[in-house]
């Protein structure tokens, strides 16, 4: 696939790609619509404090992790068109509630529920995989993610102007947020009718069970359990942070910890219920896949997307304090980290397509991240600002490229499990953000960058040991196993009997 192909709007797959990245763009615009309006909120709502906004920021990512897992399961069962449309329409409700909320409870709960919109990324990944061949999937996924992810930066650039200039007054911020929510709901309805789950005649490969990821061996089942625990367990860090801020009592925290443990146990039970019968029966050789590759890609997204979310939140202040810049200038310099996304992430997928070796590309990008953040750890006021910006852009190039390369591999690991694997890897990106941001509260910026560099190098080691080149990574079609055909036949018989 050539880069110029993205302008072929009459091609159905290109049309689907553009419709999908716009949907992702809108959801991320809504997800990050609070931070740019924080100062307006403080001026307008006299009982609101800066600590309250910090609490809302934590809530804004709290449910994203479990939501990505749940949405991943829903994708494999219902398809991305339905899931994306319903997600956009439903999430407009908490967005509107936040816009016009007048109590602490309304704002807190609505922001907590709205954090589920962060799962939208996984939906588009699945939709794009249904439209594009394995040989082109890297660039397609990278373009979708790079341009869609820019919705967060677009929110920062446009929402203050919309609130102050278009609406004005004390409630300008409310109408700006409400406007973004209404646009998302309307686009959700439009998306339902504008796109299909792959070309007409495409067979939607579904897993046997959507409640847990299928694995190929007993050892893989143990690994899946071990990799599942942090996905829910990391919420304990958020509970701890909220308790330390004084917004949660000891009793409330204990209740939250018990709930988290219960959910972890439930997930483990589901893994056992789905996989024990399958493994006892025996998995056909042509249906096996390497779970180690899934684990390796979980680690890459922890180390690249997790680092991106964490660094973007602290980078403006780092430049402001280190080089004595004004807030606006520091924000523009730090924004260079996000702007690279538009080019670097699609390029990461494109390189993955063109090199003919997705594993090598993944290893190269992760090593580049480790080098880049090690260089950022050396930055101080004695470095010329232009060089510091150059190092930041260099690092961002590898971070965004690695994100594109990660999802250039996932669809080829096991076609019918793409939603669940994408959900798990995507959730690990948020786990990384929570872990890194928590660490940042205890260290200096330079130490923080070095820690991220170490995390990237550990991921590089895991990829070197575990990541395998996907068998159908550059084929015209995704590999179809005997189990896929069996499931397809069972669905055909079930549909015929209902008809």
């Amino acid at each position: 696939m050539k880069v110029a192909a993205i302008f072929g709007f009459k091609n159905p797959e290109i049309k689907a790609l553009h419709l999908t990245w716009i949907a992702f763009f809108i959801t991320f615009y809504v997800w990050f619509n609070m931070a740019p309006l924080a100062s307006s909120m403080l001026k307008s709502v006299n009982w609101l404090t800066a600590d309250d906004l910090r609490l809302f920021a934590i809530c804004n990512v709290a449910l994203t992790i479990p939501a990505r897992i749940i949405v991943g399961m829903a994708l494999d069962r219902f398809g991305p068109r339905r899931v994306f449309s319903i997600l956009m329409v439903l999430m407009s409700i908490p967005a509107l509630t936040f816009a016009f909320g007048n109590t602490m409870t309304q704002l807190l709960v609505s922001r907590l529920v709205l954090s589920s919109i962060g799962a939208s990324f996984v939906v588009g990944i699945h939709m794009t995989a249904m439209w594009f061949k394995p040989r082109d999937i890297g660039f397609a996924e990278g373009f979708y993610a790079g341009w869609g992810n820019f919705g967060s930066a677009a929110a920062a650039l446009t929402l203050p102007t919309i609130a102050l200039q278009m609406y004005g007054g004390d409630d300008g911020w409310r109408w700006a947020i409400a406007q973004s929510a209404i646009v998302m709901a309307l686009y959700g309805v439009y998306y339902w009718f504008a796109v299909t789950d792959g070309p007409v005649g495409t067979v939607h490969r579904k897993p046997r069970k959507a409640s847990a990821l299928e694995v190929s061996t007993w050892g893989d089942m143990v690994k899946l359990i071990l990799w599942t625990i942090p996905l829910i367990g990391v919420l304990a860090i958020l509970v701890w942070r909220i308790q330390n801020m004084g917004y949660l009592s000891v009793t409330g925290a204990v209740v939250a910890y018990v709930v988290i443990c219960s959910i972890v146990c439930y997930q483990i039970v589901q893994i056992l219920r789905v996989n024990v019968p399958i493994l006892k029966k025996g998995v056909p050789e042509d249906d096996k896949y390497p779970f180690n590759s899934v684990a390796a890609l979980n680690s890459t997204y922890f180390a690249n997307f997790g680092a991106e979310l964490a660094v973007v939140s602290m980078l403006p202040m780092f430049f402001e304090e280190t080089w004595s810049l004004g807030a606006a200038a520091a924000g523009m310099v730090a924004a260079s980290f996000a702007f690279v996304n538009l080019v670097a992430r699609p390029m990461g997928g494109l390189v993955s397509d063109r090199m003919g070796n997705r594993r090598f590309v993944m290893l190269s990008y992760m090593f580049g991240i480790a080098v880049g953040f090690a260089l950022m750890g050396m930055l101080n006021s004695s470095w010329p600002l232009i060089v510091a910006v150059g190092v930041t852009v260099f690092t961002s190039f590898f971070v965004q490229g690695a994100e594109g390369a990660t999802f250039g591999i996932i669809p080829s690991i096991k076609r019918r499990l793409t939603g669940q694997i994408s959900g798990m890897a995507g959730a690990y990106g948020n786990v990384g953000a929570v872990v890194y941001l928590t660490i940042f509260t205890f260290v200096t910026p330079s130490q923080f960058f070095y820690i991220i560099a170490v995390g990237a190098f550990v991921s590089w080691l895991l990829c070197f040991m575990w990541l395998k080149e996907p068998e159908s990574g550059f084929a015209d079609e995704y590999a179809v196993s005997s189990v896929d055909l069996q499931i397809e036949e069972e669905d055909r018989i079930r549909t015929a009997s209902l008809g």
Side-chain angles (χ1 to χ4, degrees), residues 181-203:
I182 292 169
V183 169
M184 180 171 70
L186 292 175
Y187 194 83
V189 175
Y190 169 72
Y191 191 80
W192 181 283
F193 299 101
V195 73
T196 59
D197 289 334
V200 177
T202 298
V203 177

Side-chain angles (χ1 to χ4, degrees), residues 365-445:
Y365 271 116
M366 293 312 299
F367 193 79
I369 293 175
V371 173
F373 277 113
L375 289 173
M376 289 186 70
M378 300 177 189
L379 295 178
N380 55 53
S381 57
S382 66
W383 288 56
L385 179 60
I386 187 65
V387 175
V389 173
V391 170
T392 301
V393 171
F394 169 84
T395 305
S396 178
F397 175 84
F398 281 99
V399 170
Q400 322 289 357
E403 293 166 5
T406 297
F407 283 91
I409 295 175
I410 284 176
S412 299
I413 292 177
K414 193 63 184 172
R415 185 68 185 87
R416 72 171 184 272
L417 305 177
T418 296
Q420 289 170 296
I421 295 173
S422 297
M424 190 177 199
Y428 259 98
N430 290 86
V431 172
V434 171
V435 171
Y436 283 139
L437 283 172
T438 302
I439 291 173
F440 182 58
T441 60
F442 301 103
V443 298
T444 65

Side-chain angles (χ1 to χ4, degrees), residues 167-333:
Y167 294 107
D170 290 341
D171 290 334
W173 69 271
R174 295 184 183 275
W175 291 105
I177 290 177
Q179 175 182 294
S180 67
I182 292 169
V183 169
M184 180 171 70
L186 292 175
Y187 194 83
V189 175
Y190 169 72
Y191 191 80
W192 181 283
F193 299 101
V195 73
T196 59
D197 289 334
V200 177
T202 298
V203 177
H204 183 198
R205 304 288 175 192
K206 300 179 181 180
R208 285 173 283 201
K209 299 286 185 180
S211 55
L213 183 66
E214 300 171 27
V215 293
S216 303
T217 68
W218 294 101
D220 286 350
M221 186 176 71
V222 174
K223 294 171 189 173
L224 174 59
I225 291 172
L226 293 176
W227 281 89
T228 298
I229 293 173
L231 289 177
I232 307 300
V234 73
L235 295 178
I237 296 178
L238 295 177
V239 172
W240 171 72
R241 289 182 66 185
I242 294 171
Q243 183 188 1
N244 278 2
M245 292 173 69
Y247 289 100
L248 191 63
S249 66
V250 174
T251 303
V254 170
V255 171
Y257 291 137
V258 170
V259 170
I260 290 170
C261 289
S262 300
I263 296 173
V264 170
C265 292
Y266 173 78
Q267 283 295 113
I268 293 173
V269 169
Q270 291 300 108
I271 291 171
L272 295 173
R273 287 181 63 185
V274 168
N275 285 288
V276 169
I278 293 173
L279 295 173
K280 281 185 175 180
K281 184 179 178 181
V283 179
E285 285 299 320
D286 69 341
D287 196 53
K288 291 182 178 181
Y289 73 95
F291 182 79
N292 277 354
S293 289
V294 177
L297 295 175
N298 288 345
S299 78
T300 65
Y301 217 60
F302 178 104
N304 53 49
F305 188 65
E308 179 188 354
L309 290 181
V311 169
V312 165
S313 67
M314 53 76 68
L315 209 53
M317 186 174 293
F318 171 69
F319 274 102
E320 187 176 347
E321 293 179 350
T322 305
W323 284 275
S324 302
L325 300 179
M332 287 301 295
V333 171

